[in-house]
Amino acid sequence: MRDGWIRAFVWAAIAEACSWAALLAGMAVKYGPPRDEIGVQIFGPIHGGLFVAYGLLALVVARRRRWSLVQTGLALASAVPPFATVLFERWARRRGLLAAPAVPAQPPLSRVGG
């Protein structure tokens, strides 16, 4: 089972991608025929917050799972293009970067004074 940090990272990756979709829709309304900025005013700050949350969670998970510098850089860079956070999350999952760490085997108890 994944730990809470990994679950939060996956959630943030999906939420950040969804916020990109909402922001792009807001931008289409802003620059399209309606010429209304309400979508950008609403979804801009939401996307910004999720962008920061994803970046921080990527750093936490990278540290906890001992990702390489390249893997960490890819995670952070994936927040820039639309929807790339979900692609990175799926890529990382397929490569075991988000798998729960193996539970170490418990050594048998030794008998004292035996």
Side-chain angles (χ1 to χ4, degrees):
M1 183 170 170
R2 293 185 274 189
D3 69 17
W5 289 110
I6 294 173
R7 281 194 301 273
F9 172 75
V10 170
W11 180 89
I14 294 167
E16 199 271 347
C18 291
S19 74
W20 253 121
L23 183 58
L24 290 172
M27 290 171 63
V29 170
K30 177 180 178 179
Y31 297 111
R35 297 275 193 223
D36 189 356
E37 294 188 18
I38 190 70
V40 174
Q41 291 172 346
I42 292 171
F43 296 116
I46 292 170
H47 174 70
L50 289 169
F51 177 88
V52 171
Y54 172 83
L56 292 174
L57 286 166
L59 292 174
V60 168
V61 171
R63 170 89 187 222
R64 293 175 58 84
R65 300 296 299 135
R66 294 187 171 101
W67 290 354
S68 71
L69 189 58
V70 170
Q71 293 164 336
T72 303
L74 286 173
L76 294 173
S78 73
V80 177
F83 316 114
T85 54
V86 172
L87 297 175
F88 176 81
E89 182 269 329
R90 289 181 180 174
W91 176 83
R93 186 182 319 163
R94 282 194 310 268
R95 280 158 183 74
L97 298 175
L98 300 177
V103 177
Q106 295 291 331
L109 296 175
S110 62
R111 298 175 105 183
V112 178

